[in-house]
Amino acid sequence: MTENKDFYKFIEKFKNKKFPTFDLNTYLEVNNPYSFCFRVSDDSMLKFGIQKGDIVVCRHDLEPKKGDLIVIYVNGGMKVWKKEDDIQPILIEYCIKVTNPRSSDPEGYFVGVVCSMFRSVMKLHEKIKKRREISSRK
């Protein structure tokens, strides 16, 4: 096996270089006391670009603005709605009840605003592999 001198030259360039530090927690605001995450268990949120297996990061302390994705607790599970003008929050004791005339589940309880989302690289790899298998059969 021969040595790759170009590879070693490439490594030497970065050996003593200082890279900026990057704290993923501050970027995603996961350490915020009002933040929480949940894994999506089905494809009901596909219209928002959220797939089964994705992890959604939410914040309960943010007030939703028009166009924000909000998480609603409905019928024992989480759903994502897009905040529009006709989605009305109503404070009932300590819970905020939300109505959405455009949803099949018109009422739910406000849980939080979607801040970010993680997608598993393995899931993407599986989808690419399946697409290649399908295209190779044709």
Side-chain angles (χ1 to χ4, degrees), residues 8-53:
Y8 290 111
K9 286 179 186 176
F10 175 78
I11 294 298
E12 285 297 318
K13 285 182 186 177
F14 295 101
K15 199 172 185 180
N16 297 319
K17 193 171 187 174
K18 301 230 181 201
F19 292 98
T21 58
F22 180 75
D23 184 6
L24 192 60
N25 286 323
T26 56
Y27 178 71
L28 297 174
E29 302 183 57
V30 176
N31 278 342
N32 185 302
Y34 299 103
S35 295
F36 66 96
C37 304
F38 68 94
R39 185 177 298 275
V40 177
S41 60
D42 58 24
D43 287 328
S44 65
M45 302 177 198
L46 275 175
K47 64 181 173 184
F48 303 113
I50 302 171
Q51 301 174 1
K52 180 180 179 180

Side-chain angles (χ1 to χ4, degrees), residues 38-137:
F38 68 94
R39 185 177 298 275
V40 177
S41 60
D42 58 24
D43 287 328
S44 65
M45 302 177 198
L46 275 175
K47 64 181 173 184
F48 303 113
I50 302 171
Q51 301 174 1
K52 180 180 179 180
D54 290 350
I55 297 173
V56 177
V57 180
C58 301
R59 289 213 18 212
H60 183 68
D61 62 329
L62 298 177
E63 184 175 331
K65 299 175 188 79
K66 185 177 180 181
D68 284 348
L69 294 180
I70 58 175
V71 178
I72 306 298
Y73 181 79
V74 177
N75 298 330
M78 305 286 200
K79 280 203 168 192
V80 173
W81 290 346
K82 191 168 189 173
K83 172 72 169 89
E84 301 293 345
D85 287 335
D86 56 351
I87 297 177
Q88 299 299 324
I90 304 163
L91 185 61
I92 300 174
E93 293 181 17
Y94 297 107
C95 298
I96 299 174
K97 193 168 191 175
V98 182
T99 58
N100 182 357
R102 285 181 274 176
S103 175
S104 59
D105 297 312
E107 291 186 342
Y109 293 95
F110 174 77
V111 177
V113 177
V114 174
C115 300
S116 54
M117 186 259 316
F118 296 98
R119 179 156 296 147
S120 170
V121 175
M122 293 306 293
K123 290 272 186 191
L124 291 173
H125 179 68
E126 288 171 15
K127 286 184 179 190
I128 291 168
K129 189 176 176 182
K130 284 181 185 177
R131 286 182 189 155
R132 286 182 181 159
E133 288 172 3
I134 292 169
S135 65
S136 67
R137 290 182 205 154

